[in-house]
Amino acid sequence: DTGVSQDPRHKITKRGQNVTFRCDPISEHNRLYWYRQTLGQGPEFLTYFQNEAQLEKSRLLSDRFSAERPKGSFSTLEIQRTEQGDSAMYLCASSLSAGELFFGEGSRLTVL
Amino acid sequence: AQTVTQSQPEMSVQEAETVTLSCTYDTSESDYYLFWYKQPPSRQMILVIRQEAYKQQNATENRFSVNFQKAAKSFSLKISDSQLGDAAMYFCAYSLPNFGNEKLTFGTGTRLTIIP
């Protein structure tokens, strides 16, 4: 395992459907982050985990969004009742030390 | 709230030349980290360089160096001897060093084009 992996890389869905993204962090990293990146913008923080505990959630994370990290390993990000405004790249990152995040290639969501 | 501003949406440079990307930030904290991340097309974001605010010496990583001006809240990235592989989006980012505050705040990015 040489990096952060995300699956699927691209998801096309119809408005109103639920989608789930998975992130596998670098194995020894105990911190895991989710960011959202829309076209032409920098990534925006959504939430992060220290081991299995979700320590912070951005106000960007509406109640349609839920993230989990069972057993402190992989994480899932679920979006319920998708809207067109949810179309974005969802980036996962992991870290050991402060601020030095290692990113995955992202999961691109297109909501039709 | 902390903000990061990158005022150059696009930059271009001739191969082998030097280019400087600008970044300013706003914070009331005295201790923090600043970063430059590179995002090549369809590839993951990777860390280019990192600067701790308490260090006066500017960070350097091979052809990449920063000009950190704490009083001016400025953090520019200089790329020397530009190479075709440097073409990417470059994001300036800020974080606090305290446990539980390591999340990054990003700027909007600068797209760098390398002209052969």
Side-chain angles (χ1 to χ4, degrees):
Chain A
D1 182 4
T2 58
V4 178
S5 62
Q6 294 187 243
D7 183 71
R9 293 290 311 282
H10 194 183
K11 177 72 175 180
I12 301 172
T13 191
K14 293 182 180 180
R15 189 176 53 188
Q17 298 295 304
N18 299 343
V19 297
T20 299
F21 300 114
R22 175 181 170 124
C23 171
D24 287 273
I26 295 171
S27 57
E28 63 268 27
H29 287 182
N30 57 357
R31 297 170 190 163
L32 186 147
Y33 304 77
W34 286 99
Y35 284 78
R36 181 172 68 187
Q37 186 177 20
T38 53
L39 202 61
Q41 299 297 315
E44 296 173 294
F45 170 78
L46 292 179
T47 188
Y48 99 98
F49 294 84
Q50 168 83 7
N51 299 315
E52 67 274 12
Q54 188 174 18
L55 296 186
E56 188 171 348
K57 293 169 60 174
S58 164
R59 62 180 182 274
L60 294 175
L61 215 63
S62 76
D63 56 6
R64 297 184 298 105
F65 288 70
S66 63
E68 293 181 344
R69 193 184 181 197
K71 302 178 183 178
S73 55
F74 71 92
S75 176
T76 58
L77 177 68
E78 181 183 17
I79 308 173
Q80 297 181 326
R81 305 181 304 280
T82 52
E83 302 173 354
Q84 287 187 326
D86 297 332
S87 295
M89 178 75 83
Y90 290 86
L91 298 172
C92 178
S94 67
S95 76
L96 264 181
S97 61
E100 196 156 349
L101 272 56
F102 294 80
F103 284 85
E105 295 190 30
S107 293
R108 181 171 296 283
L109 174 64
T110 302
V111 182
L112 303 176
Chain B
Q2 295 81 18
T3 58
V4 177
T5 302
Q6 294 179 250
S7 58
Q8 306 156 314
E10 296 184 356
M11 293 281 286
S12 60
V13 63
Q14 292 276 354
E15 192 176 3
E17 296 296 309
T18 295
V19 64
T20 298
L21 309 184
S22 301
C23 172
T24 58
Y25 58 93
D26 187 26
T27 183
S28 57
E29 304 290 336
S30 59
D31 191 17
Y32 47 88
Y33 295 142
L34 294 165
F35 307 85
W36 280 97
Y37 276 85
K38 169 185 178 181
Q39 188 176 39
S42 302
R43 300 291 302 276
Q44 71 260 51
M45 197 170 306
I46 57 174
L47 178 66
V48 175
I49 200 165
R50 159 183 169 156
Q51 174 83 41
E52 289 89 347
Y54 66 87
K55 290 185 178 178
Q56 293 188 337
Q57 186 172 5
N58 289 325
T60 299
E61 288 287 341
N62 301 313
R63 297 182 295 108
F64 299 87
S65 62
V66 298
N67 183 4
F68 173 48
Q69 301 290 327
K70 191 172 185 179
K73 296 181 181 176
S74 170
F75 183 61
S76 61
L77 174 70
K78 185 171 82 171
I79 306 174
S80 304
D81 185 26
S82 297
Q83 300 176 359
L84 295 178
D86 295 334
M89 284 291 291
Y90 285 82
F91 291 97
C92 179
Y94 162 103
S95 81
L96 293 171
N98 306 318
F99 174 73
N101 282 298
E102 302 94 343
K103 65 179 183 287
L104 295 171
T105 300
F106 287 88
T108 51
T110 297
R111 182 176 303 280
L112 179 65
T113 301
I114 310 298
I115 303 167

mmCIF file of all heavy atoms in Angstrom, chain A residues 34-38 41-47 58 60 89 91, chain B residues 104-106:
data_model
loop_
_atom_site.group_PDB
_atom_site.id
_atom_site.type_symbol
_atom_site.label_atom_id
_atom_site.label_comp_id
_atom_site.label_asym_id
_atom_site.label_seq_id
_atom_site.Cartn_x
_atom_site.Cartn_y
_atom_site.Cartn_z
ATOM 1 N N TRP A 34 -11.963 14.175 4.704
ATOM 2 C CA TRP A 34 -12.729 14.301 3.468
ATOM 3 C C TRP A 34 -12.812 15.774 3.091
ATOM 4 O O TRP A 34 -13.104 16.633 3.932
ATOM 5 C CB TRP A 34 -14.133 13.736 3.624
ATOM 6 C CG TRP A 34 -14.217 12.241 3.652
ATOM 7 C CD1 TRP A 34 -14.320 11.440 4.747
ATOM 8 C CD2 TRP A 34 -14.224 11.370 2.513
ATOM 9 N NE1 TRP A 34 -14.376 10.116 4.372
ATOM 10 C CE2 TRP A 34 -14.338 10.045 3.007
ATOM 11 C CE3 TRP A 34 -14.151 11.565 1.129
ATOM 12 C CZ2 TRP A 34 -14.373 8.934 2.159
ATOM 13 C CZ3 TRP A 34 -14.194 10.462 0.302
ATOM 14 C CH2 TRP A 34 -14.302 9.160 0.817
ATOM 15 N N TYR A 35 -12.540 16.032 1.808
ATOM 16 C CA TYR A 35 -12.657 17.372 1.250
ATOM 17 C C TYR A 35 -13.544 17.298 0.010
ATOM 18 O O TYR A 35 -13.653 16.264 -0.640
ATOM 19 C CB TYR A 35 -11.291 17.919 0.823
ATOM 20 C CG TYR A 35 -10.417 18.391 1.960
ATOM 21 C CD1 TYR A 35 -9.723 17.494 2.747
ATOM 22 C CD2 TYR A 35 -10.286 19.751 2.230
ATOM 23 C CE1 TYR A 35 -8.916 17.935 3.784
ATOM 24 C CE2 TYR A 35 -9.478 20.203 3.265
ATOM 25 C CZ TYR A 35 -8.804 19.295 4.032
ATOM 26 O OH TYR A 35 -8.013 19.737 5.061
ATOM 27 N N ARG A 36 -14.110 18.432 -0.338
ATOM 28 C CA ARG A 36 -14.877 18.538 -1.574
ATOM 29 C C ARG A 36 -14.246 19.639 -2.430
ATOM 30 O O ARG A 36 -13.920 20.719 -1.916
ATOM 31 C CB ARG A 36 -16.341 18.877 -1.284
ATOM 32 C CG ARG A 36 -17.213 18.982 -2.528
ATOM 33 C CD ARG A 36 -18.662 19.120 -2.168
ATOM 34 N NE ARG A 36 -18.965 20.395 -1.529
ATOM 35 C CZ ARG A 36 -20.142 20.698 -1.007
ATOM 36 N NH1 ARG A 36 -21.132 19.811 -1.034
ATOM 37 N NH2 ARG A 36 -20.351 21.873 -0.463
ATOM 38 N N GLN A 37 -14.102 19.336 -3.708
ATOM 39 C CA GLN A 37 -13.510 20.306 -4.621
ATOM 40 C C GLN A 37 -14.432 20.494 -5.817
ATOM 41 O O GLN A 37 -14.676 19.550 -6.569
ATOM 42 C CB GLN A 37 -12.124 19.851 -5.087
ATOM 43 C CG GLN A 37 -11.398 20.876 -5.933
ATOM 44 C CD GLN A 37 -10.005 20.428 -6.323
ATOM 45 O OE1 GLN A 37 -9.688 19.243 -6.293
ATOM 46 N NE2 GLN A 37 -9.144 21.371 -6.686
ATOM 47 N N THR A 38 -14.930 21.705 -5.991
ATOM 48 C CA THR A 38 -15.734 22.026 -7.167
ATOM 49 C C THR A 38 -14.849 22.690 -8.207
ATOM 50 O O THR A 38 -13.736 23.148 -7.917
ATOM 51 C CB THR A 38 -16.913 22.933 -6.800
ATOM 52 O OG1 THR A 38 -16.403 24.076 -6.094
ATOM 53 C CG2 THR A 38 -17.903 22.213 -5.908
ATOM 54 N N GLN A 41 -12.127 25.678 -7.970
ATOM 55 C CA GLN A 41 -11.953 26.047 -6.569
ATOM 56 C C GLN A 41 -10.934 25.150 -5.889
ATOM 57 O O GLN A 41 -10.627 24.057 -6.369
ATOM 58 C CB GLN A 41 -13.281 25.941 -5.824
ATOM 59 C CG GLN A 41 -14.378 26.848 -6.353
ATOM 60 C CD GLN A 41 -14.023 28.312 -6.207
ATOM 61 O OE1 GLN A 41 -13.532 28.738 -5.160
ATOM 62 N NE2 GLN A 41 -14.262 29.087 -7.249
ATOM 63 N N GLY A 42 -10.448 25.609 -4.770
ATOM 64 C CA GLY A 42 -9.609 24.753 -3.954
ATOM 65 C C GLY A 42 -10.465 23.809 -3.130
ATOM 66 O O GLY A 42 -11.670 24.028 -2.965
ATOM 67 N N PRO A 43 -9.876 22.752 -2.631
ATOM 68 C CA PRO A 43 -10.638 21.822 -1.789
ATOM 69 C C PRO A 43 -11.179 22.511 -0.547
ATOM 70 O O PRO A 43 -10.523 23.384 0.036
ATOM 71 C CB PRO A 43 -9.589 20.766 -1.416
ATOM 72 C CG PRO A 43 -8.544 20.873 -2.469
ATOM 73 C CD PRO A 43 -8.500 22.312 -2.842
ATOM 74 N N GLU A 44 -12.379 22.082 -0.148
ATOM 75 C CA GLU A 44 -13.009 22.594 1.078
ATOM 76 C C GLU A 44 -13.179 21.443 2.058
ATOM 77 O O GLU A 44 -13.654 20.368 1.692
ATOM 78 C CB GLU A 44 -14.376 23.186 0.759
ATOM 79 C CG GLU A 44 -14.345 24.398 -0.148
ATOM 80 C CD GLU A 44 -15.746 24.822 -0.541
ATOM 81 O OE1 GLU A 44 -16.420 24.050 -1.247
ATOM 82 O OE2 GLU A 44 -16.168 25.908 -0.129
ATOM 83 N N PHE A 45 -12.820 21.701 3.278
ATOM 84 C CA PHE A 45 -12.884 20.693 4.321
ATOM 85 C C PHE A 45 -14.327 20.274 4.595
ATOM 86 O O PHE A 45 -15.224 21.116 4.705
ATOM 87 C CB PHE A 45 -12.257 21.255 5.597
ATOM 88 C CG PHE A 45 -12.458 20.414 6.821
ATOM 89 C CD1 PHE A 45 -11.685 19.287 7.020
ATOM 90 C CD2 PHE A 45 -13.414 20.749 7.762
ATOM 91 C CE1 PHE A 45 -11.862 18.514 8.156
ATOM 92 C CE2 PHE A 45 -13.603 19.994 8.890
ATOM 93 C CZ PHE A 45 -12.827 18.862 9.092
ATOM 94 N N LEU A 46 -14.539 18.961 4.714
ATOM 95 C CA LEU A 46 -15.861 18.441 5.073
ATOM 96 C C LEU A 46 -15.868 17.860 6.481
ATOM 97 O O LEU A 46 -16.689 18.221 7.317
ATOM 98 C CB LEU A 46 -16.299 17.358 4.084
ATOM 99 C CG LEU A 46 -16.611 17.817 2.650
ATOM 100 C CD1 LEU A 46 -16.997 16.622 1.795
ATOM 101 C CD2 LEU A 46 -17.698 18.872 2.636
ATOM 102 N N THR A 47 -14.939 16.923 6.726
ATOM 103 C CA THR A 47 -14.932 16.250 8.018
ATOM 104 C C THR A 47 -13.608 15.538 8.206
ATOM 105 O O THR A 47 -12.872 15.333 7.246
ATOM 106 C CB THR A 47 -16.088 15.240 8.136
ATOM 107 O OG1 THR A 47 -16.156 14.740 9.482
ATOM 108 C CG2 THR A 47 -15.909 14.068 7.176
ATOM 109 N N SER A 58 -17.706 20.053 9.005
ATOM 110 C CA SER A 58 -17.951 21.382 8.470
ATOM 111 C C SER A 58 -19.458 21.620 8.338
ATOM 112 O O SER A 58 -20.234 20.687 8.166
ATOM 113 C CB SER A 58 -17.287 21.512 7.106
ATOM 114 O OG SER A 58 -17.779 22.614 6.399
ATOM 115 N N LEU A 60 -20.621 22.676 5.852
ATOM 116 C CA LEU A 60 -20.915 22.270 4.468
ATOM 117 C C LEU A 60 -21.555 20.883 4.441
ATOM 118 O O LEU A 60 -22.217 20.512 3.469
ATOM 119 C CB LEU A 60 -19.635 22.243 3.631
ATOM 120 C CG LEU A 60 -18.938 23.563 3.366
ATOM 121 C CD1 LEU A 60 -17.625 23.307 2.640
ATOM 122 C CD2 LEU A 60 -19.821 24.487 2.551
ATOM 123 N N MET A 89 -15.694 16.894 -6.984
ATOM 124 C CA MET A 89 -14.694 15.867 -6.707
ATOM 125 C C MET A 89 -14.608 15.723 -5.196
ATOM 126 O O MET A 89 -14.446 16.721 -4.482
ATOM 127 C CB MET A 89 -13.342 16.288 -7.270
ATOM 128 C CG MET A 89 -12.228 15.297 -6.982
ATOM 129 S SD MET A 89 -12.347 13.841 -8.017
ATOM 130 C CE MET A 89 -11.545 14.443 -9.508
ATOM 131 N N LEU A 91 -12.464 14.365 -2.259
ATOM 132 C CA LEU A 91 -11.090 13.980 -2.002
ATOM 133 C C LEU A 91 -10.949 13.424 -0.595
ATOM 134 O O LEU A 91 -11.501 13.972 0.353
ATOM 135 C CB LEU A 91 -10.162 15.192 -2.133
ATOM 136 C CG LEU A 91 -10.088 15.865 -3.488
ATOM 137 C CD1 LEU A 91 -9.279 17.160 -3.384
ATOM 138 C CD2 LEU A 91 -9.463 14.958 -4.519
ATOM 139 N N LEU B 104 -6.724 21.659 6.519
ATOM 140 C CA LEU B 104 -6.153 22.679 5.643
ATOM 141 C C LEU B 104 -7.234 23.609 5.110
ATOM 142 O O LEU B 104 -8.324 23.169 4.754
ATOM 143 C CB LEU B 104 -5.452 22.021 4.455
ATOM 144 C CG LEU B 104 -4.224 21.167 4.776
ATOM 145 C CD1 LEU B 104 -3.778 20.403 3.538
ATOM 146 C CD2 LEU B 104 -3.099 22.045 5.266
ATOM 147 N N THR B 105 -6.901 24.880 5.029
ATOM 148 C CA THR B 105 -7.709 25.868 4.320
ATOM 149 C C THR B 105 -6.942 26.221 3.058
ATOM 150 O O THR B 105 -5.793 26.663 3.138
ATOM 151 C CB THR B 105 -7.940 27.120 5.172
ATOM 152 O OG1 THR B 105 -8.623 26.758 6.364
ATOM 153 C CG2 THR B 105 -8.759 28.144 4.399
ATOM 154 N N PHE B 106 -7.584 26.019 1.913
ATOM 155 C CA PHE B 106 -6.920 26.196 0.631
ATOM 156 C C PHE B 106 -7.316 27.509 -0.034
ATOM 157 O O PHE B 106 -8.429 28.012 0.162
ATOM 158 C CB PHE B 106 -7.310 25.071 -0.332
ATOM 159 C CG PHE B 106 -6.693 23.741 -0.022
ATOM 160 C CD1 PHE B 106 -7.298 22.855 0.852
ATOM 161 C CD2 PHE B 106 -5.495 23.359 -0.625
ATOM 162 C CE1 PHE B 106 -6.735 21.620 1.130
ATOM 163 C CE2 PHE B 106 -4.938 22.133 -0.358
ATOM 164 C CZ PHE B 106 -5.543 21.261 0.515
#
